[in-house]
Structures are given as structure tokens and as C-alpha cells.
Amino acid sequence: NAGVTQTPKFQVLKTGQSMTLQCAQDMNHEYMSWYRQDPGMGLRLIHYSVGAGITDQGEVPNGYNVSRSTTEDFPLRLLSAAPSQTSVYFCASSYSSDLSSYEQYFGPGTRLTVT
Amino acid sequence: GENVEQHPSTLSVQEGDSAVIKCTYSDSASNYFPWYKQELGKRPQLIIDIRSNVGEKKDQRIAVTLNKTAKHFSLHITETQPEDSAVYFCAATSTTDSWGKFQFGAGTQVVVTP
């Protein structure tokens, strides 16, 4: 049971480049989400999904796209990278229908630098 | 939407003393309030959570209290130890209305000095 995995761990992009951050979980969790973490600003929700085929915007969705074609995977796409997207990105998952626990399990994070 | 404010931003305590972190939220529909601990370079991990039908919850040296009327909740750590040094985040969401839209506080850096 690997939990929540993210790839890559580190990435450097040039302004204007696009890329996809990968996130996968093997716990059969319905809920998955993407956060960015910047110093002094906590964790800010980018996009989330409550099940395959269902996604919604969080607090800071601009410049990012997501899709959820399977329960296991929730990739985050940067369409045209900007220096303001330099951050640490965390993926998380949890049960959404298990009334005993709403605990979110976080992946190890991806450190992205945009030059 | 929900807005969560967390105070203080940094907290220094002597080993053995207590630490208290406070969060306020704005959306009265929020009914689930988790606390996460993040050690340097690591991922956030849940340490305790509380639902709106409970006023207090304890787990060994940590406890969380909730005041729904005032819309604030607090994390209490007693008998602090050096391994309690970390950044702590509070969060709020509604499990019924727009489930999954978590709002996190900005975090509190806790430093426990021996």
C-alpha cells in the first residue's frame, strides 16, 4: 500500500512551458485534491474532486487544469507556467462517504520552480 | 466562501509548558475542523479533528476545543516536547455543503526549546 504518490519530486520550468504533475492513490479514496504551499500562506486549494468524472475549483484555480478519469489518478496540468506558480504542490486524498473519518492523506509534494 | 484566520504565526515555548493555537472561521455551514502538523520538509499529517456536534476532543497531550457560537476553535498541546516543534495548520470545511472545499489557516510555527 503506497498511499498517495506524486511525481516528479522536483521540477524546473521556463516561463511559458507546460507540464503535468502526477498524483495517484491506492486506497480507493473518492476525494482527491491539489494544494499549493507558499511561505506564510498555508495550504491553498487549487482543484478538488469528489469522484471520478467530477472536479471543482478551489481557492486558486487560475492557470491550472485537472481531470479525474479514474478513482486512482488526479493529474494537475500547468498550461503556461509563470514565476508566480513557483511553489510546493501537495496532492491529498480521503474517503468522502466514510462518516467515521474525513482525514486527508497527503503525498510527499512536488517542488516546482519557474524561471 | 470560508475564511480561516490562525494565530499566532509563531510560538516559542519552553519544554514542558503548554501551547495554544487559535483559529477563527467565517462560514457557519462549516462543521469539520482538522488540525495538521507539518515537520520541516515533510508532508502535513492529521493530528486531531473535531466535528461541530462536539465541544472538545482529547488525544493524550493534544486537545481541540470548538466554540460554534463564536466560530473559533483551538489546539492545545500540554507538556510540550522538542518533537512537537513543527508548523501546525487548522482547517475548516462543510461535510454537507460543498464537501471537499477545505480552507486552511496560514499556519503556526511552534518552537519548543529544551
Side-chain angles (χ1 to χ4, degrees):
Chain A
N1 192 330
V4 181
T5 58
Q6 291 183 238
T7 55
K9 289 186 179 180
F10 302 94
Q11 182 71 49
V12 179
L13 291 178
K14 294 187 187 306
T15 297
Q17 287 185 318
S18 62
M19 78 159 296
T20 299
L21 306 185
Q22 302 291 345
C23 174
Q25 52 89 12
D26 60 0
M27 297 175 282
N28 201 30
H29 284 170
E30 296 173 351
Y31 173 85
M32 296 186 74
S33 56
W34 276 101
Y35 295 89
R36 60 176 290 172
Q37 185 173 33
D38 303 294
M41 301 188 75
L43 293 154
R44 291 185 292 168
L45 183 64
I46 304 171
H47 286 285
Y48 65 102
S49 168
V50 297
I54 305 169
T55 64
D56 205 348
Q57 296 182 349
E59 181 184 356
V60 288
N62 292 340
Y64 308 94
N65 272 358
V66 292
S67 60
R68 184 95 179 271
S69 56
T70 67
T71 299
E72 295 77 21
D73 301 297
F74 192 43
L76 178 72
R77 297 182 189 83
L78 279 70
L79 309 173
S80 178
S84 60
Q85 293 179 303
T86 293
S87 187
V88 178
Y89 291 84
F90 285 100
C91 178
S93 72
S94 81
Y95 292 107
S96 65
S97 59
D98 181 345
L99 298 181
S100 66
S101 173
Y102 298 111
E103 177 177 359
Q104 288 197 80
Y105 295 83
F106 284 83
T110 294
R111 185 173 294 274
L112 175 68
T113 301
V114 183
T115 61
Chain B
E2 176 64 276
N3 182 48
V4 175
E5 294 190 359
Q6 183 172 345
H7 300 280
S9 57
T10 58
L11 182 59
S12 293
V13 295
Q14 292 272 27
E15 182 177 358
D17 287 349
S18 295
V20 181
I21 304 169
K22 298 181 180 178
C23 289
T24 60
Y25 62 99
S26 61
D27 190 349
S28 56
S30 291
N31 63 350
Y32 175 65
F33 308 93
W35 285 90
Y36 284 82
K37 175 183 180 183
Q38 186 179 28
E39 296 176 352
L40 187 63
K42 302 281 184 67
R43 70 192 80 185
Q45 290 191 299
L46 181 75
I47 55 171
I48 196 167
D49 56 11
I50 193 167
R51 304 186 190 194
S52 59
N53 59 348
V54 175
E56 183 176 4
K57 184 176 178 180
K58 290 183 180 180
D59 184 2
Q60 298 183 328
R61 295 186 298 106
I62 60 173
V64 57
T65 58
L66 172 66
N67 183 326
K68 285 191 297 182
T69 303
K71 294 198 186 76
H72 67 71
F73 56 111
S74 300
L75 178 71
H76 305 255
I77 307 173
T78 59
E79 300 172 24
T80 53
Q81 300 169 3
E83 53 264 39
D84 294 328
S85 295
V87 179
Y88 293 80
F89 295 99
C90 63
T93 192
S94 169
T95 60
T96 54
D97 182 31
S98 65
W99 155 247
K101 208 159 189 175
F102 283 85
Q103 182 73 38
F104 278 77
T108 297
Q109 174 77 60
V110 174
V111 178
V112 180
T113 53

